[in-house]
């Protein structure tokens, strides 16, 4: 195997804005705060940045979801670009990080700023949380087959996946609960997390239902916040203040009909394809992973990623997470920042920030000892992207 | 709090025939004349064989429940809950699925694998929604 091009990229800096419920600050303001922090963390100046990328780029009709566009950020920071990109379609929310790695590897730019910003909590302050299409008389596009039936949230769509997994493999609500309870335990060690009080299994099970089998604590918490990373050419790493976090392999494959309802087997997800693709690009194996940062927009997604990445066999993720295996101190400590369930819905990038910090050994009380290999898996249903990072 | 309307499917070039057929009381799908694959959502080409000669065919309306969820969360003011969102697999083709509501069935009797039959709820002059009820109830 020739060396995958993504190995010529490093994650040289990471930064986050204030993260909270209803900050009532503008998305560009939060993004600039995170961007300047990430650039400083990389030991760079804004003028060193010559690439900018974001997920998803400007969108209408989804309050607080999209964050500012690449042009707004370029203009606000007053920087010249050799490369830029945003887009909704791609290997999940980390798509712009993966593409930035390829851009620096190809020499299109040297230091790319990549960000994800959400203000969903403030955006819902006046209305409460509404479903997709709520308030529209007509609905078009792929959700026209879902929304008229009241399937107005990814909670509904993914509940169908979770229920099917339970039916075929005997997965229990308590297994979903282990994700929520473990995330919360980890959040208690992260001062930036949204929910830090311990959550018991009893509290988890007795919470109000959203879309069964998902109750309140199976669903991530909308927040305001921005996460930025600097993706740099590996050629510059000796000049930077931190030990480089290297991109070892990325996974971007999608091999079945990319539709929430027509996906061939709802006990799998696109994570299956992205993960297989990633492992095909590296000599490292699942047993080499020291920490996993696995998407938990809904608790079940973490189980799906555990299976997709081959930490256990298909259908066995429920029993796999029992007995503390995924908690700090266990065999596969995951979502050590609290995940989106307790750390806040930073939409994929919170996992990347944590993976970088774990690999650098900066996580204090929640540090995974001797952390050398981290995997980040992001997305759900027919959307997935993943990365293997090393120190 | 004001009540919001239930969103209705827009009639788009590739979907209008599906919704109009439902309004006429028929469940119809785009069909590949070369390989017999039923194509949903409709595409101008067959994803299985890339055939371009397509027509539209009615199906029996019989299905099995592939998965479901009981939704308890009101997604807009005035929405009545709970209700059952089902993902049904039509008997004509493995993997040919519709997201829908399971109606005329007590919540506790909904189960994966149950036999279902379509019925239609008119929502506009041009559009009806295909809903599913237990086969024995229809």
């Amino acid at each position: 195997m020739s060396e995958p091009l993504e190995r010529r990229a490093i994650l040289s800096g990471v930064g986050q804005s204030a993260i909270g419920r209803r900050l009532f600050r503008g998305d560009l303001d939060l993004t600039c705060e995170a961007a300047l922090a990430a650039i400083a963390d990389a030991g760079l100046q804004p003028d060193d940045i010559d690439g900018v990328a974001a997920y998803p780029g400007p969108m209408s009709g989804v309050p607080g979801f999209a964050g500012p566009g690449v042009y707004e950020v370029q203009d606000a920071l007053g920087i010249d670009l050799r490369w830029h990109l945003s887009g909704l379609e791609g290997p999940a929310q980390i798509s712009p990080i993966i593409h930035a790695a390829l851009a620096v590897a190809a020499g299109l730019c040297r230091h790319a700023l990549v960000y994800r910003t959400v203000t969903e909590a403030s955006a819902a302050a006046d209305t409460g949380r509404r479903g997709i299409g709520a308030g529209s008389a007509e609905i078009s596009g792929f959700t026209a087959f879902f929304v008229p039936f009241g399937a107005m949230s990814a909670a509904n769509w993914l509940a169908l996946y979770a229920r099917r997994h339970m039916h075929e493999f005997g997965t229990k609500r308590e297994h979903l609960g282990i994700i929520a309870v473990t995330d919360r335990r980890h959040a208690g060690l992260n001062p930036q997390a949204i929910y830090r009080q311990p959550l018991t299994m009893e509290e988890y099970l007795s919470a109000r239902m959203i879309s069964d089998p998902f109750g309140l604590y199976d669903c991530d918490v909308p927040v305001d916040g921005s996460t930025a990373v600097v993706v740099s050419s590996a050629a510059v790493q000796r000049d930077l203040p931190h030990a480089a976090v290297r991109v070892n392999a990325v996974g971007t494959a999608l091999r079945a009909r990319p539709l929430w309802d027509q996906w061939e087997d709802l006990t799998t997800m696109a994570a299956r394809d992205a993960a297989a693709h990633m492992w095909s690009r590296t000599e490292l194996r699942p047993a080499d992973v020291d920490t996993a940062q696995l998407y938990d927009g809904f608790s079940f997604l973490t189980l799906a990623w555990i299976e997709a990445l081959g930490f256990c066999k298909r259908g066995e993720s429920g029993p796999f997470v029992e007995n503390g295996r995924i908690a700090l101190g266990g065999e596969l400590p995951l979502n050590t920042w609290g995940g989106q369930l307790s750390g806040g819905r930073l939409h994929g990038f919170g996992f990347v920030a944590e993976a970088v910090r774990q690999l650098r050994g900066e996580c204090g009380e929640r540090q995974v000892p001797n952390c050398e290999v981290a995997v980040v898996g992001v997305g759900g249903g027919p959307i997935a992207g993943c990365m293997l990072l090393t120190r | 709090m004001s009540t919001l309307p239930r969103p209705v499917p827009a009639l788009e070039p590739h979907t209008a025939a599906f919704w109009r057929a439902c309004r006429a009381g028929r469940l119809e799908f785009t069909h590949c004349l070369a390989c017999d694959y039923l194509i949903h959502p409709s595409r101008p080409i067959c994803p299985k064989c890339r055939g371009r000669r397509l027509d539209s065919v009615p199906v029996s309306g019989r299905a099995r429940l592939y998965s479901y969820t009981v939704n308890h969360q009101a997604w807009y003011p005035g929405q009545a809950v709970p209700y059952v969102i089902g993902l049904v697999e039509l008997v004509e083709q493995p993997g040919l699925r519709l997201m829908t509501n399971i109606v005329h069935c007590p919540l506790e009797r909904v189960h994966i694998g149950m036999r279902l039959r379509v019925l239609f709820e008119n929502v506009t002059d041009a559009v009806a929604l295909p809903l599913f009820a237990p086969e024995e109830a229809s």
Side-chain angles (χ1 to χ4, degrees):
Chain A
M1 178 168 63
S2 64
E3 183 163 278
L5 201 63
E6 59 264 36
R7 290 194 199 168
R8 298 184 196 173
I10 60 170
L11 304 188
S12 60
V14 60
Q16 289 178 299
S17 68
I19 296 164
R21 298 277 286 162
R22 298 180 187 171
L23 299 176
F24 295 113
R25 287 175 55 190
D27 58 7
L28 185 57
D29 178 31
L30 293 170
T31 304
C32 290
E33 182 182 346
L36 293 174
I39 293 165
D41 183 63
L44 300 171
Q45 299 295 322
D47 284 342
D48 296 320
I49 299 297
D50 57 357
V52 173
Y55 177 97
M59 287 175 73
S60 58
V62 278
F65 176 80
V70 161
Y71 302 130
E72 274 183 274
V73 171
Q74 179 194 4
D75 191 53
L77 295 177
I79 51 182
D80 294 331
L81 297 181
R82 283 194 264 245
W83 176 81
H84 58 283
L85 168 129
S86 73
L88 184 68
E89 292 184 312
Q93 295 91 327
I94 59 170
S95 170
I97 299 178
I98 292 172
H99 288 97
L102 299 177
V104 297
L108 282 172
C109 61
R110 273 162 49 98
H111 299 289
L113 173 73
V114 189
Y115 62 89
R116 174 80 183 104
T117 304
V118 285
T119 52
E120 290 182 288
S122 290
D126 295 334
T127 60
R129 193 156 201 198
R130 287 191 173 174
I132 296 163
S136 307
E138 282 201 332
I139 190 91
S140 54
F142 75 95
T143 58
F145 289 102
F146 308 161
V147 166
F149 304 97
M152 301 176 78
S153 165
N156 301 135
W157 312 343
L158 286 165
L160 299 168
Y161 284 67
R163 170 83 67 202
R164 186 71 197 184
H165 197 276
M166 290 171 152
H167 172 76
E168 291 197 23
F169 300 114
T171 312
K172 299 178 178 133
R173 272 210 82 211
E174 284 80 355
H175 293 132
L176 303 180
I178 291 171
I179 303 294
V181 168
T182 305
D183 276 10
R184 182 63 66 85
R185 229 170 98 192
H186 294 165
L189 303 173
N190 175 12
Q192 267 70 52
I194 301 295
Y195 294 133
R196 303 188 59 214
Q197 299 298 320
L199 175 71
T200 66
M201 183 61 80
E202 292 67 35
E203 288 166 330
Y204 165 83
L205 290 169
S206 59
R208 71 183 172 88
M209 271 293 168
I210 301 295
S211 186
D212 77 346
F214 295 156
L216 185 63
Y217 296 118
D218 292 295
C219 307
D220 61 359
V221 52
V223 293
D224 300 345
S226 179
T227 304
V229 297
V230 178
V231 182
S232 298
S233 163
V236 305
Q237 63 181 287
R238 273 169 301 188
D239 305 331
L240 301 174
H242 293 289
V245 168
R246 306 181 66 97
V247 179
N248 180 269
V250 301
T252 58
L254 181 56
R255 297 181 184 279
R257 293 188 69 196
L259 305 168
W260 291 87
D261 52 345
Q262 310 297 321
W263 185 262
E264 60 188 352
D265 175 355
L266 264 61
T267 68
T268 68
M269 297 190 186
R272 169 198 70 185
D273 301 338
H277 189 205
M278 184 189 78
W279 292 124
S280 77
R281 298 174 70 77
T282 181
E283 311 75 21
L284 293 171
R285 309 282 25 121
D288 297 317
V289 172
D290 298 304
T291 184
Q293 303 296 330
L294 304 180
Y295 201 75
D296 63 352
F298 300 96
S299 55
F300 176 69
L301 296 176
T302 304
L303 295 185
W305 272 108
I306 287 169
E307 291 181 23
L309 286 162
F311 291 117
C312 66
K313 290 185 185 151
R314 225 186 113 215
E316 295 181 0
S317 57
F320 178 85
V321 300
E322 291 173 352
N323 302 317
R325 189 180 257 143
I326 60 168
L328 279 164
E331 185 184 314
L332 184 70
L334 57 78
N335 299 358
T336 44
W337 60 292
Q340 294 187 180
L341 293 177
S342 289
R345 178 180 157 79
L346 296 167
H347 216 211
F349 275 46
F351 301 98
V352 179
E354 180 72 3
V356 170
R357 290 166 177 158
Q358 285 286 353
L359 290 167
R360 288 183 184 170
E362 295 174 348
C363 288
E365 282 187 281
R366 66 176 196 276
Q367 180 63 46
V368 173
N370 305 315
C371 188
E372 294 183 340
V373 179
V375 68
V376 177
V378 173
I383 302 163
C386 54
M387 293 191 295
L388 199 60
L389 303 175
T390 60
R391 135 177 123 185
Chain B
M1 240 193 217
S2 64
T3 299
L4 293 177
R6 175 161 82 172
V8 172
L11 295 174
E12 299 180 89
H14 286 119
T15 64
F18 177 85
W19 299 116
R20 286 187 197 281
C22 288
R23 187 64 179 77
R26 296 187 311 272
L27 199 53
E28 287 188 5
F29 292 98
T30 300
H31 165 253
C32 175
L33 288 162
C35 77
D36 259 352
Y37 187 67
L38 297 169
I39 305 162
H40 181 75
S42 182
R43 305 285 185 229
I45 184 168
C46 174
K48 289 291 173 202
C49 75
R50 285 88 185 205
R52 296 281 269 165
R53 291 180 57 239
L54 312 173
D55 65 355
S56 185
V57 298
V59 297
S60 66
R62 291 171 50 234
R64 295 262 200 160
L65 189 59
Y66 179 80
S67 193
Y68 70 97
T69 178
V70 181
N71 180 71
H72 296 265
Q73 172 81 18
W75 298 113
Y76 55 87
Q79 187 186 28
V81 293
Y83 52 90
V84 182
I85 298 165
L87 188 60
V88 305
E89 188 159 295
L90 297 161
V91 298
E92 280 78 8
Q93 179 172 293
L96 176 62
R97 304 195 196 111
L98 290 175
M99 210 178 291
T100 182
N101 297 123
I102 307 304
V103 297
H104 305 320
C105 182
L107 295 184
E108 63 277 8
R109 291 196 48 209
V110 175
H111 62 274
I112 287 177
M114 68 189 298
R115 293 171 190 275
L116 301 162
R117 187 178 287 278
V118 74
L119 59 119
F120 297 96
E121 181 181 335
N122 297 334
V123 290
T124 70
D125 288 345
V127 172
L129 299 178
L131 309 181
F132 284 78
E135 191 155 52
E136 65 268 26
S138 53

